[in-house]
Amino acid sequence: MFSSFANVWTIVGLARDLKPGRPLPMRVAGERIVFFRDASGAAAALLDRCPHRGVALSLGRVDRGVIECPFHGWRFDGSGANCGAPFNPDAKRENLGAISLPACESGGLLWLYTGFAPEDEPALSDTFAAPGLALCAQSVLWRAHWTRVMENMLDMPHLPFVHRRTIGAGLRELVEKRMDVYWEDRPYGARITNAVDGVPRPGALEYRFPNVMELFIDPPGKLFRLMVACVPEDGETTRLILLTMRDFARSPLLHPVFRWMNRRIANEDQAIVESSLPHEVPPPAEEASVRTDAPTLAFRRIYRQRLLGSAATPPPRAVAPGKTPAAP
């Protein structure tokens, strides 16, 4: 499960989008997942596959924190335990559970762990501790491997070409000069800054392992951040979760303005990134690279060392996809 994206915490959306009594289906790294709120109101996640006949649990209903399969009415709580198998009161329900996955809420975000035994909690950016923070979000789908999307988010030299009328306009007149890009390792990933002809440029961005970029574009005396989570749905599709965080212009009436800005910038990148071949980032020697590619090459090393080839195996007590459930 979760091929080449296993055993990591990933943002999957806003916590407020997970409504009580309503299933929320998603695809993450090739797996169908259904989120819902359990009896205590906490976020829960199950593999979106009933162990009985494999149908999507997300097509069923949630009642008092228990999700019901739409096919035969089998019911499961947030831990995956079978709470009922209609017409089979003698069924050994302890052997008929669904596969649960760790999920939680932090910083107003919904998180999923792509495995079964997390050793830590999600690493939340310090930005979320800022007082008076306004947060708005949206998501877009790109037909691209998530690694191509992620390295694009860490790449500064493309700004004056792809974003020449938006966030890259200030770099247009500097393209004949020397740019130096600095990757500084941090416990959560890295901080990336740059200088042109030795003069530091304003702003910075951070890479937060495994799949998040945070751009710092603070105006004087204000906080303004753009965060992007590059969530793989499968090997060919990435869902970008675009978050804008600010401590000014906080009225929700202004959220559409910031969403429009984010979508415009994302649209400038989309066709270019989707055209990349091969679809997944290759080993460094298979593409030409230069000095200013240091951040993207660093990300590729991290991907190959920590994620590529990874997989999660359901615990023995769970009924794994494609296996035959224990006989009742």
Side-chain angles (χ1 to χ4, degrees):
M1 296 176 63
F2 303 111
S3 176
S4 292
F5 197 74
N7 303 315
V8 293
W9 284 104
T10 180
I11 299 168
V12 291
L14 292 184
R16 63 175 177 244
D17 291 337
L18 184 59
K19 309 294 186 183
R22 290 175 55 184
L24 178 63
M26 294 187 189
R27 284 184 63 86
V28 179
E31 305 297 340
R32 289 191 329 206
I33 311 297
V34 59
F35 295 84
F36 61 98
R37 293 200 176 276
D38 66 15
S40 70
L46 302 179
L47 191 69
D48 194 6
R49 180 183 186 276
C50 181
H52 181 210
R53 290 296 179 264
V55 306
L57 294 171
S58 58
L59 297 176
R61 66 190 186 102
V62 177
D63 179 33
R64 290 172 288 184
V66 173
I67 192 166
E68 181 181 276
C69 176
F71 200 3
H72 295 92
W74 287 25
R75 304 172 74 239
F76 307 93
D77 66 15
S79 72
N82 190 309
C83 301
F87 303 114
N88 290 275
D90 54 342
K92 297 179 180 178
R93 289 190 283 112
E94 66 273 16
N95 296 327
L96 304 176
I99 297 178
S100 66
L101 294 157
C104 71
E105 301 170 59
S106 182
L109 303 174
L110 181 63
W111 299 75
L112 175 74
Y113 185 75
T114 58
F116 299 93
E119 297 179 354
D120 51 18
E121 298 296 322
L124 195 64
S125 167
D126 290 342
T127 298
F128 290 94
L133 194 67
L135 171 68
C136 69
Q138 68 200 107
S139 64
V140 296
L141 287 178
W142 286 8
R143 295 292 295 173
H145 194 273
W146 81 271
T147 55
R148 288 292 195 183
V149 181
M150 186 73 251
E151 71 173 7
N152 172 73
M153 297 298 162
L154 304 178
D155 182 271
M156 290 183 171
H158 82 277
L159 296 181
F161 304 99
V162 179
H163 307 291
R164 64 181 63 218
R165 294 183 179 87
T166 53
I167 56 176
L171 283 171
R172 286 292 299 166
E173 60 186 29
L174 304 177
V175 296
E176 299 302 325
K177 300 179 182 292
R178 175 189 171 102
M179 175 183 283
D180 290 288
V181 185
Y182 306 103
W183 171 283
E184 303 172 33
D185 288 323
R186 299 289 172 86
Y188 50 79
R191 186 174 178 85
I192 303 169
T193 56
N194 75 96
V196 175
D197 276 357
V199 179
R201 295 284 301 169
L205 61 84
E206 292 187 343
Y207 166 61
R208 307 189 68 85
F209 179 82
N211 62 332
V212 171
M213 179 278 290
E214 183 175 359
L215 178 63
F216 292 67
I217 45 180
D218 300 345
K222 299 178 181 178
L223 180 149
F224 186 32
R225 312 280 164 81
L226 172 63
M227 181 177 286
V228 182
C230 305
V231 183
E233 288 203 341
D234 53 40
E236 298 180 348
T237 309
T238 301
R239 183 162 58 94
L240 285 74
I241 300 174
L242 311 175
L243 305 170
T244 297
M245 299 165 286
R246 60 192 191 278
D247 64 1
F248 63 97
R250 291 178 292 184
S251 170
L253 296 176
L254 295 174
H255 286 351
V257 176
F258 290 95
R259 292 192 183 104
W260 173 85
M261 177 189 66
N262 288 343
R263 185 174 293 275
R264 179 184 177 187
I265 294 170
N267 286 346
E268 292 172 341
D269 283 304
Q270 183 175 359
I272 292 172
V273 175
E274 288 181 340
S275 75
S276 297
L277 294 174
H279 296 296
E280 183 179 9
V281 294
E286 294 185 12
E287 288 184 337
S289 297
V290 291
R291 176 176 41 78
T292 51
D293 294 319
T296 54
L297 293 176
F299 164 70
R300 291 184 182 193
R301 286 193 296 271
I302 291 171
Y303 172 64
R304 301 189 77 80
Q305 292 170 2
R306 300 178 62 179
L307 288 172
L308 184 62
S310 65
T313 302
R317 66 178 180 81
V319 180
K323 300 296 183 181
T324 302

